[in-house]
Amino acid sequence: MNKKNVTEELLSKGESIRVEFVDSLEAKEKIGKSVCAMLNSKGGTVLVGVDENGHVISEVSELDVRQVRNFLHEQIVPQVLFTVNLDEVNQKKIISVDVPEGRDQPYVFNGSVFVRSGGRTRTHVADAETMREMVERRSHETERWERRISDALGVSELDSELMKETIRRAQDLRGYRFENPRHIETVLKDLSLSRFGQLTNAADVLFGQRVAIRHPQTRLRAVRYKTDRGNNFIDEQLFEGPAFILLEEAMTFLKRHIPIRAEFKPGQLARESRPEYPFYSLREGLVNALVHRDYASFSGGVSISIYPGRVEIWNSGHLPRGLTPSKLRASVHDSILVNPDISYVFYLYELMERVGRGTFKIVQECRKMGMRLPEWQNAVSGVRLTFYGATEGIGANIKTNERQDALLKTLPTGERIKTFDFLNRFGAGVSERQARRDLKELEEFGFLERVGAGPTTAYERTDKPR
């Protein structure tokens, strides 16, 4: 498996319109301007403790992370989800701020609106024309479903214990500062779950005790099928309630039906047990389905289907414009939050780790288990994530052609190859389209890892043995 993490890859590529290096924590103004500008542009990452050449020059701590997080939350308006983390690079620690493309532009830092432009990093105050375009674009956009008022929903109909637990987690685990944590109405306003004194649909999705009565599309269906064809089932459950409860019950269903297999590794006397699928990846896939789905679709929902050889998680949503299934596997891709208010509360509850990296972690976990890589499908009906089981006989199911075999025999671990080079070396007589398909299949089987995007796309050999 490729040992380079996302942050190391960002450092190696250098600064760009989506990556900014800041050498010191003392430069908080620069950090704030850059985060604000990325929110007003296409998102990105700010790395703190790094010089302009990508070299780590200063050590930071968890206390520094909390200080940066609090500073940004206090200085940037309107409120928005970005994640501040402590990353390790060559045994040194730096801060990374992952920033999505903002849905409520323009964002303001210290009284000014900043934007990104230029081939390298350029952060500057937005001019009048840019401001006008952002304001017009926002005024023309349809109000998000999560921001609409949930009719007949009152504070008394929310799950008070779930609210209290969310407040506790937000304060203790994320360092979030509420204006008045003991006053529920104020907390809901802080979290953008209340508008004009009325609760939003997002508040209902997150905390509504009887949310399915008002919004039946919030139900989650889970089925364990007897065969891969799905003709009959062994178990079927329909869950309803706040999104946090749906996640908990869905994970319980998965753990009940996913087999645990035991294996003896060479040189070890004790056997090692592990599930057929990585539970972290399944949970991450479910979180994505719950926070990114299209709640406005009354015929939609979320479903889990467990078959003998695969697990499918479906939601009635669509990938944002410009984001494709193949890009979701990449270590770095655009981050666009479909329901940012719901996503923010999931983050405060510690159910989302960091912006824009969840799908890559799913791929990493599956690769670590030696599984065929998961697949995303973006169809008219919704987005489907498919996991393939790590069965004992998975190696026997991998069928490679002569071109693929030749590549695997000659490409050392860690070395990279592009489609054009593969075509020239091993693809005599085949089309470029077939060459891309060969490489994609090797990626799906875990032998290669896609690096970069567009014309710079390359495939790196992992340490998975043939």
Side-chain angles (χ1 to χ4, degrees):
M1 187 178 82
N2 181 20
K3 301 299 188 297
K4 177 183 280 190
N5 61 39
V6 177
T7 303
E8 289 176 310
E9 184 174 337
L10 291 175
L11 287 172
S12 67
K13 290 183 177 179
E15 292 184 306
S16 68
I17 196 170
R18 296 194 61 216
V19 179
E20 173 93 10
F21 297 160
V22 179
D23 58 5
S24 171
L25 280 168
E26 302 302 317
K28 286 187 178 180
E29 289 292 311
K30 184 178 181 181
I31 299 171
K33 290 177 182 178
S34 298
V35 171
C36 178
M38 289 176 178
L39 288 167
N40 287 324
S41 305
K42 294 293 183 180
T45 302
V46 180
L47 300 175
V48 184
V50 180
D51 67 15
E52 62 181 6
N53 297 313
H55 299 137
V56 179
I57 59 174
S58 62
E59 286 269 7
V60 293
S61 66
E62 285 289 355
L63 177 60
D64 297 321
V65 170
R66 289 195 292 271
Q67 290 177 347
V68 170
R69 183 187 294 130
N70 291 338
F71 172 76
L72 294 174
H73 279 306
E74 290 170 359
Q75 297 297 324
I76 292 179
V77 292
Q79 188 180 75
V80 63
L81 170 61
F82 48 80
T83 53
V84 185
N85 296 275
L86 195 65
D87 288 349
E88 186 170 306
V89 178
N90 298 325
Q91 298 183 329
K92 294 182 179 179
K93 292 181 172 60
I94 66 172
I95 290 176
S96 63
V97 187
D98 293 318
V99 186
E101 177 182 338
R103 294 292 303 275
D104 297 315
Q105 299 174 6
Y107 292 87
V108 178
F109 169 75
N110 199 19
S112 298
V113 175
F114 295 90
V115 293
R116 303 278 286 181
S117 64
R120 280 175 63 82
T121 171
R122 296 287 187 272
T123 298
H124 56 85
V125 176
D127 57 29
E129 179 65 19
T130 303
M131 283 287 297
R132 184 182 63 80
E133 289 177 357
M134 281 193 284
V135 173
E136 284 187 353
R137 184 166 60 247
R138 183 173 176 179
S139 65
H140 291 157
E141 288 182 350
T142 304
E143 184 179 52
R144 299 196 304 269
W145 183 88
E146 67 170 357
R147 283 277 174 95
R148 298 174 191 168
I149 301 302
S150 184
D151 296 332
L153 177 66
V155 173
S156 62
E157 296 174 87
L158 301 182
D159 188 323
S160 59
E161 292 304 313
L162 191 55
M163 280 288 302
K164 291 176 183 177
E165 178 64 10
T166 302
I167 294 169
R168 184 192 68 78
R169 285 172 173 259
Q171 293 181 128
D172 297 348
L173 303 177
R174 297 299 191 191
Y176 188 89
R177 297 178 181 177
F178 292 99
E179 182 181 337
N180 184 353
R182 291 184 176 85
H183 191 256
I184 296 298
E185 286 83 353
T186 303
V187 169
L188 291 166
K189 186 177 179 180
D190 285 345
L191 299 177
S192 300
L193 303 180
S194 173
R195 301 180 66 198
F196 316 114
Q198 294 180 286
L199 302 183
T200 65
N201 286 333
D204 210 353
V205 167
L206 293 163
F207 302 112
Q209 295 186 84
R210 306 177 69 191
V211 57
I213 293 178
R214 291 175 291 273
H215 309 292
Q217 71 271 28
T218 59
R219 294 186 174 99
L220 186 152
R221 181 173 180 257
V223 184
R224 170 67 167 95
Y225 290 101
K226 188 174 183 179
T227 67
D228 280 329
R229 294 184 178 183
N231 294 333
N232 45 43
F233 57 86
I234 297 172
D235 189 11
E236 180 182 30
Q237 300 288 329
L238 189 65
F239 303 118
E240 58 182 58
F244 299 129
I245 304 302
L246 294 181
L247 177 63
E248 181 181 326
E249 292 182 332
M251 285 304 300
T252 299
F253 184 90
L254 285 165
K255 291 176 180 178
R256 184 166 68 246
H257 288 290
I258 287 177
I260 304 295
R261 62 190 181 101
E263 59 182 20
F264 291 90
K265 291 188 175 181
Q268 294 182 3
L269 294 177
R271 67 179 181 179
E272 189 174 289
S273 299
R274 68 174 186 176
E276 192 78 6
Y277 302 86
F279 286 129
Y280 170 88
S281 294
L282 291 171
R283 194 201 72 159
E284 192 71 22
L286 273 169
V287 167
N288 287 341
L290 289 168
V291 303
H292 296 312
R293 54 155 297 194
D294 178 15
Y295 282 96
S297 174
F298 296 108
S299 60
V302 174
S303 68
I304 301 169
S305 300
I306 305 176
Y307 299 92
R310 69 186 189 278
V311 173
E312 296 180 355
I313 299 174
W314 172 86
N315 76 85
S316 55
H318 303 284
L319 295 181
R321 180 172 52 86
L323 195 57
T324 63
S326 61
K327 288 182 179 179
L328 291 176
R329 288 181 175 178
S331 56
V332 181
H333 59 74
D334 292 343
S335 176
I336 304 171
L337 301 176
V338 178
N339 300 296
D341 296 341
I342 294 173
S343 300
Y344 197 5
V345 179
F346 262 73
Y347 167 75
L348 294 176
Y349 202 86
E350 270 217 324
L351 290 173
M352 286 180 67
E353 290 189 9
R354 50 200 308 172
V355 168
R357 302 197 190 184
T359 54
F360 181 64
K361 285 294 294 291
I362 290 174
V363 172
Q364 282 185 312
E365 288 295 314
C366 292
R367 183 177 282 120
K368 184 178 180 180
M369 286 184 64
M371 300 166 60
R372 175 179 172 182
L373 297 191
E375 294 181 353
W376 283 267
Q377 293 175 296
N378 188 29
V380 175
S381 60
V383 176
R384 188 180 308 277
L385 169 58
T386 302
F387 293 91
Y388 299 95
T391 59
E392 290 288 352
I394 190 169
N397 295 327
I398 297 177
K399 306 296 182 182
T400 53
N401 57 42
E402 293 181 2
R403 299 180 300 276
Q404 294 168 324
D405 288 336
L407 173 66
L408 295 177
K409 288 177 182 178
T410 58
L411 189 67
T413 299
E415 292 293 313
R416 297 179 180 182
I417 191 169
K418 293 187 175 182
T419 304
F420 179 76
D421 297 323
F422 174 76
L423 191 61
N424 286 340
R425 291 174 58 184
F426 309 107
V430 302
S431 65
E432 182 179 347
R433 183 177 181 181
Q434 179 60 54
R436 288 197 300 268
R437 188 181 298 120
D438 286 347
L439 293 171
K440 185 175 183 295
E441 287 178 354
L442 292 176
E443 180 196 7
E444 291 175 352
F445 290 133
F447 296 118
L448 299 178
E449 180 179 346
R450 185 193 300 260
V451 179
T456 65
T457 299
Y459 293 86
E460 182 172 317
R461 180 68 168 97
T462 67
D463 60 4
K464 180 176 180 176
R466 179 66 177 96

